[in-house]
C-alpha cells in the first residue's frame, strides 16, 4: 500500500469516526487540545499528523490508534456490540468448560 493511500485512509477514517461519535471538528479539537485547523487539515489530507497528534486525537475519540489505519467496514457502535457479544460468548464457553472439569472430578 502506498503512503498516499495510507494517508487517505487515515483522513477518511478520522472523519467517519468523528462523525459517528457525533463530534464536530471543533469538539474534537478542544477535546484533543489541538486546533480546529489541524483537525480539518488532517481530515482533508492536507497534512500528516505526528505520532503525538495521532495519540491526542485517538485519546479524544476514545479509540485505539490502529483503527485509523484499518478499513472501516463496521460502524463504531456496532463494533462495540460485536465485542460485547464475543466477550459474553467467551465467558459462557469458559464457564461451561470449567463446570465440565469440576463435574468430572
Amino acid at each position: 500500500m502506498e503512503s498516499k493511500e495510507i494517508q487517505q485512509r487515515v483522513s477518511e477514517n478520522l472523519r467517519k469516526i468523528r462523525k459517528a461519535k457525533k463530534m464536530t471538528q471543533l469538539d474534537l479539537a478542544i477535546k484533543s487540545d489541538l486546533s480546529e485547523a489541524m483537525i480539518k487539515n488532517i481530515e482533508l489530507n492536507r497534512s500528516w499528523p505526528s505520532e503525538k497528534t495521532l495519540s491526542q486525537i485517538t485519546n479524544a475519540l476514545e479509540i485505539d490508534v490502529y483503527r485509523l489505519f484499518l478499513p472501516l467496514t463496521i460502524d463504531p457502535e456496532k463494533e462495540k456490540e460485536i465485542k460485547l457479544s464475543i466477550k459474553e460468548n467467551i465467558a459462557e464457553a469458559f464457564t461451561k468448560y470449567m463446570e465440565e472439569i469440576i463435574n468430572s472430578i
Side-chain angles (χ1 to χ4, degrees), residues 6 22 33-34 37 39 41 44 61 67 73 82 84 103:
I6 294 170
K22 300 185 184 341
D33 198 27
L34 297 167
I39 302 298
N41 285 332
L44 293 175
L61 291 171
R67 297 251 336 268
T73 56
I82 292 169
L84 180 59
N103 290 335

Side-chain angles (χ1 to χ4, degrees), residues 9-61:
R9 180 175 288 173
V10 168
S11 47
E12 288 175 5
N13 286 348
L14 173 57
R15 182 175 46 257
K16 288 177 184 177
I17 293 168
R18 175 184 58 78
K19 286 183 176 186
K21 292 187 174 274
K22 300 185 184 341
M23 295 175 77
T24 64
Q25 289 177 339
L26 180 59
D27 294 333
L28 180 55
I30 291 169
K31 194 169 179 183
S32 62
D33 198 27
L34 297 167
S35 70
E36 184 177 10
M38 172 66 81
I39 302 298
K40 181 178 183 176
N41 285 332
I42 295 168
E43 286 188 4
L44 293 175
N45 201 14
R46 293 181 185 159
S47 64
W48 181 249
S50 68
E51 289 177 26
K52 180 181 178 188
T53 300
L54 280 175
S55 178
Q56 288 172 267
I57 290 170
T58 55
N59 285 339
L61 291 171

